[in-house]
Amino acid sequence: MSRESQDQGFVQLVVDDQHLDRVVLDGMLEARVSLAIATANFKAMLVPTGSRRGSSRRAPSIVQHLIELAEGGVEVRLLHASVPSGAALAELSRKLPDRLVIRRCPRLHAKAVVVDA
């Protein structure tokens, strides 16, 4: 992504197997100011990063990544529809950073990620 695109903002359609790279690794995990996520289902999906990518070692979950972003100063807002998965609930039951806000809206079905807006 060019610096000009970053400064002006843009919308991008991401499909199929592009989700991990474009949305999670190049988008969400690169947030520096804010991260807003809207999703119907919130699960503790495992996110292989760096040298762990393609490795058989256990990757950290998205919940851990969100916590680390919030602890690093990023304002993280998650809006979801259904009860999070059991694994996500287990991780969320620990003390969450102040900059991580999670809200439930049962009628939500949209999926969106907004980074540094």
mmCIF file of all heavy atoms in Angstrom, residues 76-114:
data_model
loop_
_atom_site.group_PDB
_atom_site.id
_atom_site.type_symbol
_atom_site.label_atom_id
_atom_site.label_comp_id
_atom_site.label_asym_id
_atom_site.label_seq_id
_atom_site.Cartn_x
_atom_site.Cartn_y
_atom_site.Cartn_z
ATOM 1 N N VAL A 76 -8.768 -0.189 20.544
ATOM 2 C CA VAL A 76 -9.380 -1.329 19.866
ATOM 3 C C VAL A 76 -10.850 -1.401 20.256
ATOM 4 O O VAL A 76 -11.185 -1.435 21.437
ATOM 5 C CB VAL A 76 -8.674 -2.650 20.247
ATOM 6 C CG1 VAL A 76 -9.327 -3.833 19.543
ATOM 7 C CG2 VAL A 76 -7.180 -2.581 19.925
ATOM 8 N N ARG A 77 -11.723 -1.414 19.237
ATOM 9 C CA ARG A 77 -13.170 -1.525 19.465
ATOM 10 C C ARG A 77 -13.687 -2.709 18.659
ATOM 11 O O ARG A 77 -13.468 -2.787 17.454
ATOM 12 C CB ARG A 77 -13.868 -0.237 19.038
ATOM 13 C CG ARG A 77 -13.475 0.961 19.882
ATOM 14 C CD ARG A 77 -14.118 2.251 19.405
ATOM 15 N NE ARG A 77 -13.908 2.555 18.005
ATOM 16 C CZ ARG A 77 -12.835 3.143 17.490
ATOM 17 N NH1 ARG A 77 -11.842 3.498 18.272
ATOM 18 N NH2 ARG A 77 -12.738 3.391 16.204
ATOM 19 N N LEU A 78 -14.368 -3.620 19.353
ATOM 20 C CA LEU A 78 -14.914 -4.812 18.717
ATOM 21 C C LEU A 78 -16.411 -4.840 18.931
ATOM 22 O O LEU A 78 -16.886 -4.773 20.062
ATOM 23 C CB LEU A 78 -14.271 -6.067 19.324
ATOM 24 C CG LEU A 78 -14.884 -7.402 18.939
ATOM 25 C CD1 LEU A 78 -14.726 -7.675 17.451
ATOM 26 C CD2 LEU A 78 -14.259 -8.513 19.752
ATOM 27 N N LEU A 79 -17.160 -4.930 17.839
ATOM 28 C CA LEU A 79 -18.609 -5.046 17.882
ATOM 29 C C LEU A 79 -18.957 -6.390 17.251
ATOM 30 O O LEU A 79 -18.565 -6.667 16.119
ATOM 31 C CB LEU A 79 -19.265 -3.907 17.093
ATOM 32 C CG LEU A 79 -20.790 -3.874 17.057
ATOM 33 C CD1 LEU A 79 -21.359 -3.668 18.458
ATOM 34 C CD2 LEU A 79 -21.257 -2.764 16.129
ATOM 35 N N HIS A 80 -19.673 -7.245 17.993
ATOM 36 C CA HIS A 80 -19.978 -8.578 17.495
ATOM 37 C C HIS A 80 -21.420 -8.947 17.827
ATOM 38 O O HIS A 80 -22.040 -8.355 18.700
ATOM 39 C CB HIS A 80 -19.009 -9.616 18.064
ATOM 40 C CG HIS A 80 -19.110 -9.749 19.549
ATOM 41 N ND1 HIS A 80 -19.855 -10.721 20.156
ATOM 42 C CD2 HIS A 80 -18.575 -9.002 20.549
ATOM 43 C CE1 HIS A 80 -19.778 -10.588 21.470
ATOM 44 N NE2 HIS A 80 -19.000 -9.555 21.735
ATOM 45 N N ALA A 81 -21.955 -9.969 17.129
ATOM 46 C CA ALA A 81 -23.363 -10.318 17.284
ATOM 47 C C ALA A 81 -23.603 -11.471 18.253
ATOM 48 O O ALA A 81 -24.463 -11.391 19.115
ATOM 49 C CB ALA A 81 -23.954 -10.681 15.924
ATOM 50 N N SER A 82 -22.870 -12.541 18.105
ATOM 51 C CA SER A 82 -23.164 -13.731 18.899
ATOM 52 C C SER A 82 -22.212 -13.858 20.080
ATOM 53 O O SER A 82 -21.223 -13.142 20.182
ATOM 54 C CB SER A 82 -23.081 -14.978 18.015
ATOM 55 O OG SER A 82 -21.774 -15.125 17.524
ATOM 56 N N VAL A 83 -22.516 -14.790 20.954
ATOM 57 C CA VAL A 83 -21.638 -15.064 22.087
ATOM 58 C C VAL A 83 -20.304 -15.544 21.522
ATOM 59 O O VAL A 83 -20.276 -16.390 20.628
ATOM 60 C CB VAL A 83 -22.256 -16.149 22.995
ATOM 61 C CG1 VAL A 83 -21.308 -16.529 24.112
ATOM 62 C CG2 VAL A 83 -23.588 -15.670 23.548
ATOM 63 N N PRO A 84 -19.180 -14.997 22.012
ATOM 64 C CA PRO A 84 -17.876 -15.438 21.508
ATOM 65 C C PRO A 84 -17.668 -16.943 21.734
ATOM 66 O O PRO A 84 -18.300 -17.540 22.608
ATOM 67 C CB PRO A 84 -16.876 -14.627 22.347
ATOM 68 C CG PRO A 84 -17.649 -13.422 22.766
ATOM 69 C CD PRO A 84 -19.056 -13.909 22.973
ATOM 70 N N SER A 85 -16.766 -17.535 20.981
ATOM 71 C CA SER A 85 -16.462 -18.958 21.144
ATOM 72 C C SER A 85 -15.935 -19.203 22.555
ATOM 73 O O SER A 85 -15.491 -18.271 23.241
ATOM 74 C CB SER A 85 -15.409 -19.393 20.114
ATOM 75 O OG SER A 85 -14.162 -18.781 20.405
ATOM 76 N N GLY A 86 -15.974 -20.456 22.988
ATOM 77 C CA GLY A 86 -15.490 -20.807 24.323
ATOM 78 C C GLY A 86 -14.043 -20.396 24.540
ATOM 79 O O GLY A 86 -13.685 -19.872 25.599
ATOM 80 N N ALA A 87 -13.200 -20.619 23.533
ATOM 81 C CA ALA A 87 -11.791 -20.240 23.647
ATOM 82 C C ALA A 87 -11.635 -18.723 23.767
ATOM 83 O O ALA A 87 -10.838 -18.230 24.569
ATOM 84 C CB ALA A 87 -11.010 -20.763 22.456
ATOM 85 N N ALA A 88 -12.412 -17.976 22.995
ATOM 86 C CA ALA A 88 -12.346 -16.508 23.072
ATOM 87 C C ALA A 88 -12.838 -16.031 24.433
ATOM 88 O O ALA A 88 -12.232 -15.149 25.049
ATOM 89 C CB ALA A 88 -13.159 -15.868 21.959
ATOM 90 N N LEU A 89 -13.932 -16.629 24.931
ATOM 91 C CA LEU A 89 -14.449 -16.245 26.253
ATOM 92 C C LEU A 89 -13.432 -16.508 27.348
ATOM 93 O O LEU A 89 -13.275 -15.697 28.265
ATOM 94 C CB LEU A 89 -15.742 -16.998 26.558
ATOM 95 C CG LEU A 89 -17.003 -16.449 25.930
ATOM 96 C CD1 LEU A 89 -18.177 -17.386 26.200
ATOM 97 C CD2 LEU A 89 -17.306 -15.050 26.422
ATOM 98 N N ALA A 90 -12.726 -17.619 27.251
ATOM 99 C CA ALA A 90 -11.708 -17.936 28.255
ATOM 100 C C ALA A 90 -10.625 -16.866 28.280
ATOM 101 O O ALA A 90 -10.203 -16.417 29.344
ATOM 102 C CB ALA A 90 -11.102 -19.309 27.976
ATOM 103 N N GLU A 91 -10.186 -16.425 27.103
ATOM 104 C CA GLU A 91 -9.158 -15.379 27.044
ATOM 105 C C GLU A 91 -9.707 -14.021 27.465
ATOM 106 O O GLU A 91 -9.016 -13.235 28.092
ATOM 107 C CB GLU A 91 -8.569 -15.296 25.637
ATOM 108 C CG GLU A 91 -7.688 -16.481 25.298
ATOM 109 C CD GLU A 91 -6.952 -16.272 24.000
ATOM 110 O OE1 GLU A 91 -6.084 -15.379 23.942
ATOM 111 O OE2 GLU A 91 -7.259 -17.011 23.044
ATOM 112 N N LEU A 92 -10.961 -13.758 27.111
ATOM 113 C CA LEU A 92 -11.577 -12.473 27.440
ATOM 114 C C LEU A 92 -11.911 -12.356 28.925
ATOM 115 O O LEU A 92 -12.099 -11.250 29.428
ATOM 116 C CB LEU A 92 -12.845 -12.256 26.613
ATOM 117 C CG LEU A 92 -12.646 -12.068 25.125
ATOM 118 C CD1 LEU A 92 -13.985 -12.106 24.403
ATOM 119 C CD2 LEU A 92 -11.899 -10.781 24.828
ATOM 120 N N SER A 93 -12.000 -13.486 29.618
ATOM 121 C CA SER A 93 -12.378 -13.462 31.038
ATOM 122 C C SER A 93 -11.273 -12.877 31.913
ATOM 123 O O SER A 93 -11.516 -12.500 33.048
ATOM 124 C CB SER A 93 -12.747 -14.860 31.521
ATOM 125 O OG SER A 93 -11.604 -15.694 31.525
ATOM 126 N N ARG A 94 -10.069 -12.791 31.379
ATOM 127 C CA ARG A 94 -8.976 -12.149 32.115
ATOM 128 C C ARG A 94 -9.164 -10.636 32.061
ATOM 129 O O ARG A 94 -9.945 -10.124 31.290
ATOM 130 C CB ARG A 94 -7.638 -12.532 31.497
ATOM 131 C CG ARG A 94 -7.425 -14.024 31.518
ATOM 132 C CD ARG A 94 -6.102 -14.393 30.879
ATOM 133 N NE ARG A 94 -6.125 -15.814 30.592
ATOM 134 C CZ ARG A 94 -5.939 -16.344 29.408
ATOM 135 N NH1 ARG A 94 -5.663 -15.586 28.379
ATOM 136 N NH2 ARG A 94 -6.001 -17.639 29.240
ATOM 137 N N LYS A 95 -8.424 -9.918 32.866
ATOM 138 C CA LYS A 95 -8.524 -8.452 32.859
ATOM 139 C C LYS A 95 -8.120 -7.917 31.484
ATOM 140 O O LYS A 95 -7.058 -8.230 30.979
ATOM 141 C CB LYS A 95 -7.626 -7.851 33.938
ATOM 142 C CG LYS A 95 -7.778 -6.352 34.046
ATOM 143 C CD LYS A 95 -6.914 -5.808 35.145
ATOM 144 C CE LYS A 95 -7.091 -4.337 35.372
ATOM 145 N NZ LYS A 95 -7.113 -3.474 34.244
ATOM 146 N N LEU A 96 -8.985 -7.112 30.914
ATOM 147 C CA LEU A 96 -8.717 -6.536 29.603
ATOM 148 C C LEU A 96 -8.160 -5.124 29.746
ATOM 149 O O LEU A 96 -8.553 -4.380 30.646
ATOM 150 C CB LEU A 96 -9.997 -6.493 28.765
ATOM 151 C CG LEU A 96 -10.596 -7.848 28.412
ATOM 152 C CD1 LEU A 96 -11.884 -7.653 27.630
ATOM 153 C CD2 LEU A 96 -9.613 -8.678 27.614
ATOM 154 N N PRO A 97 -7.286 -4.719 28.840
ATOM 155 C CA PRO A 97 -6.768 -3.349 28.862
ATOM 156 C C PRO A 97 -7.889 -2.330 28.659
ATOM 157 O O PRO A 97 -8.891 -2.625 28.000
ATOM 158 C CB PRO A 97 -5.796 -3.307 27.676
ATOM 159 C CG PRO A 97 -5.556 -4.715 27.285
ATOM 160 C CD PRO A 97 -6.738 -5.510 27.744
ATOM 161 N N ASP A 98 -7.720 -1.143 29.213
ATOM 162 C CA ASP A 98 -8.731 -0.083 29.075
ATOM 163 C C ASP A 98 -8.998 0.274 27.613
ATOM 164 O O ASP A 98 -10.098 0.676 27.263
ATOM 165 C CB ASP A 98 -8.293 1.182 29.823
ATOM 166 C CG ASP A 98 -8.330 0.990 31.326
ATOM 167 O OD1 ASP A 98 -9.067 0.094 31.798
ATOM 168 O OD2 ASP A 98 -7.623 1.725 32.029
ATOM 169 N N ARG A 99 -8.014 0.150 26.758
ATOM 170 C CA ARG A 99 -8.167 0.546 25.355
ATOM 171 C C ARG A 99 -8.831 -0.525 24.488
ATOM 172 O O ARG A 99 -8.929 -0.370 23.281
ATOM 173 C CB ARG A 99 -6.820 0.922 24.756
ATOM 174 C CG ARG A 99 -6.269 2.211 25.316
ATOM 175 C CD ARG A 99 -4.968 2.565 24.614
ATOM 176 N NE ARG A 99 -4.479 3.845 25.035
ATOM 177 C CZ ARG A 99 -4.752 4.987 24.433
ATOM 178 N NH1 ARG A 99 -5.527 5.011 23.378
ATOM 179 N NH2 ARG A 99 -4.245 6.107 24.881
ATOM 180 N N LEU A 100 -9.270 -1.633 25.110
ATOM 181 C CA LEU A 100 -9.973 -2.686 24.385
ATOM 182 C C LEU A 100 -11.426 -2.690 24.831
ATOM 183 O O LEU A 100 -11.745 -3.030 25.967
ATOM 184 C CB LEU A 100 -9.335 -4.048 24.645
ATOM 185 C CG LEU A 100 -10.018 -5.272 24.026
ATOM 186 C CD1 LEU A 100 -10.213 -5.120 22.527
ATOM 187 C CD2 LEU A 100 -9.208 -6.519 24.327
ATOM 188 N N VAL A 101 -12.316 -2.264 23.930
ATOM 189 C CA VAL A 101 -13.747 -2.162 24.232
ATOM 190 C C VAL A 101 -14.490 -3.183 23.379
ATOM 191 O O VAL A 101 -14.341 -3.201 22.155
ATOM 192 C CB VAL A 101 -14.268 -0.733 23.944
ATOM 193 C CG1 VAL A 101 -15.763 -0.659 24.196
ATOM 194 C CG2 VAL A 101 -13.511 0.285 24.767
ATOM 195 N N ILE A 102 -15.286 -4.009 24.033
ATOM 196 C CA ILE A 102 -16.032 -5.049 23.335
ATOM 197 C C ILE A 102 -17.513 -4.866 23.620
ATOM 198 O O ILE A 102 -17.914 -4.755 24.782
ATOM 199 C CB ILE A 102 -15.571 -6.445 23.790
ATOM 200 C CG1 ILE A 102 -14.076 -6.608 23.521
ATOM 201 C CG2 ILE A 102 -16.381 -7.530 23.089
ATOM 202 C CD1 ILE A 102 -13.477 -7.865 24.110
ATOM 203 N N ARG A 103 -18.309 -4.804 22.564
ATOM 204 C CA ARG A 103 -19.759 -4.620 22.698
ATOM 205 C C ARG A 103 -20.468 -5.671 21.854
ATOM 206 O O ARG A 103 -19.978 -6.065 20.791
ATOM 207 C CB ARG A 103 -20.188 -3.229 22.219
ATOM 208 C CG ARG A 103 -19.621 -2.098 23.025
ATOM 209 C CD ARG A 103 -20.332 -1.996 24.380
ATOM 210 N NE ARG A 103 -19.860 -0.856 25.122
ATOM 211 C CZ ARG A 103 -18.969 -0.919 26.097
ATOM 212 N NH1 ARG A 103 -18.438 -2.054 26.442
ATOM 213 N NH2 ARG A 103 -18.608 0.167 26.731
ATOM 214 N N ARG A 104 -21.649 -6.072 22.304
ATOM 215 C CA ARG A 104 -22.440 -7.058 21.575
ATOM 216 C C ARG A 104 -23.701 -6.404 21.031
ATOM 217 O O ARG A 104 -24.388 -5.666 21.736
ATOM 218 C CB ARG A 104 -22.805 -8.214 22.500
ATOM 219 C CG ARG A 104 -23.507 -9.322 21.777
ATOM 220 C CD ARG A 104 -23.601 -10.565 22.639
ATOM 221 N NE ARG A 104 -24.344 -11.569 21.917
ATOM 222 C CZ ARG A 104 -25.360 -12.241 22.424
ATOM 223 N NH1 ARG A 104 -25.740 -12.045 23.660
ATOM 224 N NH2 ARG A 104 -25.987 -13.119 21.688
ATOM 225 N N CYS A 105 -24.005 -6.689 19.766
ATOM 226 C CA CYS A 105 -25.221 -6.219 19.106
ATOM 227 C C CYS A 105 -25.806 -7.428 18.377
ATOM 228 O O CYS A 105 -25.332 -7.787 17.294
ATOM 229 C CB CYS A 105 -24.897 -5.101 18.120
ATOM 230 S SG CYS A 105 -26.323 -4.553 17.174
ATOM 231 N N PRO A 106 -26.783 -8.120 18.980
ATOM 232 C CA PRO A 106 -27.292 -9.379 18.426
ATOM 233 C C PRO A 106 -27.771 -9.317 16.976
ATOM 234 O O PRO A 106 -27.773 -10.326 16.299
ATOM 235 C CB PRO A 106 -28.444 -9.740 19.358
ATOM 236 C CG PRO A 106 -28.117 -9.048 20.635
ATOM 237 C CD PRO A 106 -27.433 -7.771 20.236
ATOM 238 N N ARG A 107 -28.144 -8.178 16.486
ATOM 239 C CA ARG A 107 -28.665 -8.082 15.111
ATOM 240 C C ARG A 107 -27.580 -7.815 14.075
ATOM 241 O O ARG A 107 -27.847 -7.750 12.881
ATOM 242 C CB ARG A 107 -29.734 -7.007 15.051
ATOM 243 C CG ARG A 107 -30.936 -7.338 15.936
ATOM 244 C CD ARG A 107 -32.028 -6.330 15.785
ATOM 245 N NE ARG A 107 -32.472 -6.228 14.410
ATOM 246 C CZ ARG A 107 -33.554 -6.813 13.919
ATOM 247 N NH1 ARG A 107 -34.299 -7.550 14.691
ATOM 248 N NH2 ARG A 107 -33.897 -6.642 12.660
ATOM 249 N N LEU A 108 -26.352 -7.654 14.492
ATOM 250 C CA LEU A 108 -25.255 -7.336 13.581
ATOM 251 C C LEU A 108 -24.885 -8.530 12.712
ATOM 252 O O LEU A 108 -24.747 -9.637 13.204
ATOM 253 C CB LEU A 108 -24.021 -6.902 14.401
ATOM 254 C CG LEU A 108 -22.771 -6.590 13.582
ATOM 255 C CD1 LEU A 108 -22.957 -5.274 12.846
ATOM 256 C CD2 LEU A 108 -21.561 -6.527 14.484
ATOM 257 N N HIS A 109 -24.747 -8.300 11.436
ATOM 258 C CA HIS A 109 -24.244 -9.343 10.552
ATOM 259 C C HIS A 109 -23.128 -8.807 9.640
ATOM 260 O O HIS A 109 -22.473 -9.560 8.951
ATOM 261 C CB HIS A 109 -25.367 -9.947 9.705
ATOM 262 C CG HIS A 109 -24.918 -11.173 8.984
ATOM 263 N ND1 HIS A 109 -24.721 -12.382 9.631
ATOM 264 C CD2 HIS A 109 -24.586 -11.384 7.694
ATOM 265 C CE1 HIS A 109 -24.293 -13.273 8.758
ATOM 266 N NE2 HIS A 109 -24.205 -12.703 7.573
ATOM 267 N N ALA A 110 -22.899 -7.532 9.676
ATOM 268 C CA ALA A 110 -21.870 -6.913 8.843
ATOM 269 C C ALA A 110 -20.482 -7.383 9.270
ATOM 270 O O ALA A 110 -20.271 -7.790 10.407
ATOM 271 C CB ALA A 110 -21.953 -5.396 8.965
ATOM 272 N N LYS A 111 -19.549 -7.323 8.336
ATOM 273 C CA LYS A 111 -18.154 -7.610 8.634
ATOM 274 C C LYS A 111 -17.325 -6.448 8.100
ATOM 275 O O LYS A 111 -17.392 -6.119 6.929
ATOM 276 C CB LYS A 111 -17.681 -8.902 7.958
ATOM 277 C CG LYS A 111 -18.178 -10.148 8.625
ATOM 278 C CD LYS A 111 -19.255 -10.717 7.794
ATOM 279 C CE LYS A 111 -19.801 -11.989 8.439
ATOM 280 N NZ LYS A 111 -21.209 -12.130 8.155
ATOM 281 N N ALA A 112 -16.573 -5.821 8.996
ATOM 282 C CA ALA A 112 -15.744 -4.698 8.583
ATOM 283 C C ALA A 112 -14.554 -4.557 9.522
ATOM 284 O O ALA A 112 -14.655 -4.892 10.701
ATOM 285 C CB ALA A 112 -16.549 -3.401 8.588
ATOM 286 N N VAL A 113 -13.448 -4.073 8.985
ATOM 287 C CA VAL A 113 -12.264 -3.755 9.769
ATOM 288 C C VAL A 113 -11.819 -2.375 9.328
ATOM 289 O O VAL A 113 -11.638 -2.127 8.137
ATOM 290 C CB VAL A 113 -11.132 -4.789 9.525
ATOM 291 C CG1 VAL A 113 -9.853 -4.347 10.217
ATOM 292 C CG2 VAL A 113 -11.549 -6.169 9.988
ATOM 293 N N VAL A 114 -11.651 -1.473 10.296
ATOM 294 C CA VAL A 114 -11.197 -0.112 10.011
ATOM 295 C C VAL A 114 -9.929 0.107 10.831
ATOM 296 O O VAL A 114 -9.941 -0.014 12.056
ATOM 297 C CB VAL A 114 -12.270 0.932 10.378
ATOM 298 C CG1 VAL A 114 -11.772 2.329 10.078
ATOM 299 C CG2 VAL A 114 -13.572 0.636 9.649
#
